[in-house]
Amino acid sequence: MKSGGTKSRILLTLRFLLDNTDEEHGVTVQEIIKYLEGEGLKAERKTVYRDFESFADIGYEVVSQRAGSTTKYHIIGRDFELPELKMLVDSVAASKFVTEKKTKELLKKLSRLTSRYNASLLSREVMVSGRVKTMNESIYYNIDNIHSAMSRKINISFKYFSWNQKKEQELRHGGKSYHVSPWALLWDDENYYLVAYDNEDEKIKHFRVDKMLKIGFVDEPRKGLKEFEKAKIDTYSKRLFSMYSGEEKRVSIKADNRFANILIDRFGRNIMIIPDGPDRFSVTLDVSVSEQFISWIFSLGEGIEITGPEDVLEKVRDMASRISRTYL
């Protein structure tokens, strides 16, 4: 039996308390001593009490609770409260960009941040209808490499793929590597996107991070700062629909009052809503006019329509005509 190892004893005692106590559950000093003996360390009651006092120096407090003739101790001052951990667990389980394998790993790590009693409350299935998880395990390293390049203010290169009808990865850009200046990462529609300046096409583009392969560092200064600032990254994803690009336009819309909630949810509270009679309103929005945007307007049904500009209306009519020919 070792009598020394003060640091080891303190760390083991803290770990034992973190794993086995919470506001509803405590342990006795004798249980702590027995645990330490099982780890090959000798301890006395006064030693354990002294160790309790040292925990305060690192942000933990041990409190006592009397239960009949028994005094039990539990730890308070954890970094995360149980409701916070439940929220994090739900977010990880529901996240599309986190693979099934990484989901299990992250949930296991999160459960270590609370007692074993509370950990059992975190081990519950989060039911999300039709949940599709990404199949690219390298996404975590991709994100790390992108952050590293941005902090170093250098470029990156990578291959980019899409899935074909055979469920195979098919390289885009003729199989050539993209050479871009990374400026930001966005999380939109449950996917991570890189917003970057394409040095070949000389414009801002976005790329799904889970579809990027073989990211490499290019030790050259980033380009496209002016273009990036012009893109107004704080509203970038609001102007796009499912991150599909299109020509940016100021689009006028008229709608019944019941659609105000939908438009505010999508574009934020700063949009200018102008009453158009008692039951309707008009609004002008900056959007990238893609088929996805037009389809979104169609999907809202009657009572909302695009009213301008004319070139956007022409795209709406063309799309409506193609849909009619297909299904009628």
Side-chain angles (χ1 to χ4, degrees):
M1 184 75 63
K2 295 181 290 185
S3 59
T6 301
K7 289 184 178 179
S8 296
R9 187 191 68 245
I10 291 174
L11 288 173
L12 285 172
T13 301
L14 178 59
R15 185 72 264 169
F16 184 73
L17 287 168
L18 289 171
D19 288 344
N20 294 281
T21 75
D22 52 43
E23 292 182 358
E24 303 295 328
H25 306 88
V27 295
T28 65
V29 170
Q30 192 56 44
E31 287 173 325
I32 295 173
I33 292 173
K34 183 178 180 181
Y35 165 72
L36 292 173
E37 288 176 350
E39 297 294 325
L41 293 170
K42 184 179 180 180
E44 299 176 352
R45 297 183 73 86
K46 62 180 181 181
T47 306
V48 174
Y49 293 135
R50 190 164 59 244
D51 290 345
F52 285 173
E53 294 176 1
S54 69
F55 294 156
D57 296 333
I58 53 176
Y60 295 101
E61 183 181 354
V62 178
V63 298
S64 61
Q65 196 168 31
R66 194 79 177 171
S69 59
T70 304
T71 301
K72 291 192 173 185
Y73 298 85
H74 66 268
I75 206 156
I76 61 175
R78 293 175 183 270
D79 292 334
F80 292 95
E81 296 178 7
L82 183 59
E84 294 172 329
L85 287 173
K86 286 181 178 179
M87 181 180 65
L88 291 173
V89 164
D90 290 352
S91 297
V92 169
S95 292
K96 180 181 176 182
F97 81 91
V98 183
T99 64
E100 292 284 358
K101 178 182 177 183
K102 182 58 71 172
T103 295
K104 293 177 181 177
E105 292 176 1
L106 290 175
L107 295 185
K108 188 174 181 180
K109 290 177 180 179
L110 286 171
S111 70
R112 294 178 190 149
L113 298 176
T114 188
S115 70
R116 60 188 174 93
Y117 305 102
N118 285 337
S120 64
L121 300 176
L122 299 177
S123 301
R124 65 198 198 286
E125 292 294 329
V126 179
M127 302 304 294
V128 182
S129 177
R131 173 61 54 219
V132 176
K133 290 283 191 176
T134 184
M135 292 172 279
N136 186 359
E137 286 287 344
S138 65
I139 185 173
Y140 319 103
Y141 306 105
N142 288 354
I143 293 170
D144 187 55
N145 286 335
I146 292 168
H147 275 297
S148 179
M150 288 193 293
S151 66
R152 293 166 58 185
K153 300 180 180 180
I154 61 173
N155 295 333
I156 60 171
S157 64
F158 58 89
K159 303 280 188 180
Y160 198 60
F161 75 88
S162 58
W163 297 104
N164 63 21
Q165 75 280 4
K166 297 179 182 178
K167 302 180 183 179
E168 300 170 334
Q169 292 181 0
E170 199 168 80
L171 291 178
R172 300 174 66 172
H173 201 226
K176 297 188 299 180
S177 292
Y178 286 83
H179 182 176
V180 305
S181 297
W183 286 103
L185 281 167
L186 287 178
W187 190 2
D188 183 83
D189 194 25
E190 301 186 68
N191 288 303
Y192 256 123
Y193 292 87
L194 165 67
V195 180
Y197 179 77
D198 188 310
N199 295 315
E200 182 178 337
D201 289 348
E202 298 184 339
K203 64 180 181 180
I204 294 291
K205 293 183 179 180
H206 54 267
F207 304 88
R208 277 261 301 265
V209 175
D210 60 306
K211 294 183 180 294
M212 297 167 65
L213 301 171
K214 299 179 180 179
I215 293 181
F217 299 117
V218 181
D219 197 14
E220 298 173 358
R222 289 186 298 181
K223 298 179 181 178
L225 176 59
K226 289 183 179 179
E227 288 79 3
F228 173 69
E229 291 176 339
K230 186 178 179 181
K232 297 179 182 177
I233 199 63
D234 57 330
T235 58
Y236 186 77
S237 62
K238 291 180 183 178
R239 302 194 303 272
L240 301 173
F241 281 74
S242 298
M243 298 303 284
Y244 284 93
S245 296
E247 186 180 0
E248 189 166 322
K249 295 278 188 178
R250 290 187 65 82
V251 177
S252 298
I253 291 174
K254 284 190 176 182
D256 295 347
N257 288 342
R258 60 192 172 93
F259 290 102
N261 179 63
I262 295 173
L263 293 177
I264 290 172
D265 278 347
R266 175 70 210 193
F267 295 98
R269 293 181 62 187
N270 290 330
I271 61 175
M272 183 70 72
I273 292 178
I274 302 173
D276 185 26
D279 302 316
R280 288 174 64 78
F281 67 89
S282 62
V283 64
T284 301
L285 305 169
D286 292 321
V287 297
S288 291
V289 181
S290 62
E291 290 196 350
Q292 285 68 32
F293 165 67
I294 297 171
S295 296
W296 181 71
I297 294 293
F298 285 169
S299 72
L300 297 178
E302 293 184 7
I304 184 169
E305 64 269 355
I306 297 171
T307 58
E310 184 59 34
D311 57 341
V312 174
L313 284 173
E314 187 61 35
K315 290 182 179 180
V316 173
R317 297 186 192 104
D318 178 65
M319 188 169 171
S321 176
R322 284 190 282 116
I323 293 172
S324 298
R325 289 197 302 270
T326 301
Y327 293 102
L328 298 181

